[in-house]
Amino acid sequence: MNRLITPAPVRKSVLVRAPAARAFEVFTAGMGRWWPKSHHIGAAEPEAHVIEPRAGGRWFERGADGVECDIGKVLTWSPPTLLVLAWQLNAQFKYDPALVTEVEVRFLPQSDATTRVELEHRHLERLGESAETLRGAIDAPNGWTALLELFARAASQ
């Protein structure tokens, strides 16, 4: 019997010691400064992480070997408050152009010098039977939690 797989979205947040515009810039244009080298999908160590600054833009990594590996694309580009990315990686972290889960990142100013960044990775049910596997990986301590901590440190400098 098939059962409906509906894992809850993964939701994380972090307080960043930076204005929203800087936090948005570091998250997007500065992703290569904080995304760990260990988190890559290409064969070679990543040299760059790129989010093209427009709706429809690519989200990809470029390896030291020059090979570009797609991660997804930009669904919503609304600096400095909202970014929605299509995450097109399956539970084995392989690119699947037919798959789209979403990573929504909101940059909520708390003061002139601090921003609350809220991330929601949703539509995981689109992975079918492997939905819980991916959810477990991205909700693990070295998943979005660790990534947001690295981002917060980079944005606060």
Side-chain angles (χ1 to χ4, degrees), residues 62-85:
R62 183 179 306 112
D65 58 2
V67 173
E68 293 180 354
C69 296
D70 286 331
I71 298 167
K73 61 186 171 240
V74 179
L75 299 176
T76 303
W77 180 266
S78 187
T81 58
L82 178 64
L83 174 70
V84 182
L85 300 168

Side-chain angles (χ1 to χ4, degrees), residues 18-75:
R22 171 158 173 75
F24 189 95
E25 184 275 329
V26 171
F27 194 95
T28 57
M31 185 174 269
R33 297 195 306 255
W34 57 271
W35 194 272
K37 299 277 188 201
S38 60
H39 286 51
H40 65 91
I41 58 173
E45 185 171 282
E47 202 171 70
H49 291 273
V50 179
I51 296 175
E52 294 178 339
R54 65 183 186 285
R58 291 173 61 213
W59 176 21
F60 64 95
E61 69 178 43
R62 183 179 306 112
D65 58 2
V67 173
E68 293 180 354
C69 296
D70 286 331
I71 298 167
K73 61 186 171 240
V74 179
L75 299 176

Side-chain angles (χ1 to χ4, degrees), residues 3 8 12 18 20 30 32 45 66 72 91-92 128 135-136 138 148:
R3 65 180 182 90
K12 305 291 179 183
E45 185 171 282
Q92 292 72 44
R135 188 185 193 290
I138 63 176
L148 285 180

Side-chain angles (χ1 to χ4, degrees), residues 128-151:
E129 292 295 326
S130 60
E132 290 293 349
T133 301
L134 180 66
R135 188 185 193 290
I138 63 176
D139 198 28
N142 66 339
W144 281 121
T145 298
L147 293 172
L148 285 180
E149 289 170 2
L150 291 168
F151 154 70

